[in-house]
Amino acid sequence: MLKCKQLINCAVFDCWIGNADRFPQNLLFDGSSEIRLIDHDDALPDYLLPRMPIKCQLIEMLAADMPEIELHRFKKNMLSLLPKINEIDFQDLKQSVPYSLVENGEVELDRALSLLQSRLPMMNMLLNSALGIGQYDLNLEASEMNTESLANDE
């Protein structure tokens, strides 16, 4: 289950919505590739700011014991999901959510949608933080070429 693409999608989603409380017990897995997320109580907390990183449990679980180079590859994989999120029409989304489902109605919905929009451009930095990446601008292609060159020298 750990390498399931859906689980990676869930981890990126949690980082984006600021949900620090997604443990494996909060995932329903059907045995194929379908994962259902439960327990959204900590999503979009009032204190969350656009540039504020969170301790994302799913990302920590997926990245556990990865060397730095693998963390960068993993982050690159997660960043590849962002174009899909960027396609979201937030105005259309706002129109489709009944205010009765949101605790403080339109005001809270506007706050949440604005926060989500403003966190999107920050996702590279937020994922770096969630992964504990120290060297932010590692050139994966150059690193892979150097590794291949060393292997050929042996």
Side-chain angles (χ1 to χ4, degrees), residues 1 13 15 31 46-48 55 61 81-82 108-109 138 141 143 149 151:
M1 180 170 124
F13 180 72
C15 184
D46 290 338
Y47 60 82
L48 188 65
K55 181 180 170 95
M61 180 182 72
L81 302 171
L82 295 183
E108 180 60 21
L109 183 58
L138 183 64
E141 289 78 23
S143 297
S149 174

Side-chain angles (χ1 to χ4, degrees), residues 37-124:
L37 302 174
I38 60 171
D39 187 6
H40 304 289
D41 292 342
D42 288 350
L44 297 169
D46 290 338
Y47 60 82
L48 188 65
L49 300 171
R51 297 182 58 87
M52 182 182 290
I54 60 151
K55 181 180 170 95
C56 182
Q57 300 295 329
L58 284 182
I59 290 177
E60 285 186 0
M61 180 182 72
L62 291 168
D65 301 321
M66 278 187 190
E68 184 89 4
I69 188 87
E70 289 302 317
L71 289 175
H72 283 273
R73 288 183 183 119
F74 185 48
K75 183 184 89 169
K76 185 177 179 183
N77 186 9
M78 289 192 292
L79 287 172
S80 73
L81 302 171
L82 295 183
K84 189 77 170 162
I85 296 173
N86 279 311
E87 292 175 7
I88 295 172
D89 181 339
F90 286 92
Q91 196 58 36
D92 188 45
L93 182 60
K94 180 181 177 180
Q95 300 303 318
S96 66
V97 175
Y99 296 138
S100 61
L101 294 179
V102 182
E103 191 169 314
N104 291 320
E106 186 175 7
V107 171
E108 180 60 21
L109 183 58
D110 285 342
R111 183 199 72 83
L113 293 176
S114 175
L115 177 62
L116 289 173
Q117 285 178 294
S118 59
R119 280 179 74 80
L120 276 175
M122 306 294 145
M123 286 301 291
N124 188 46

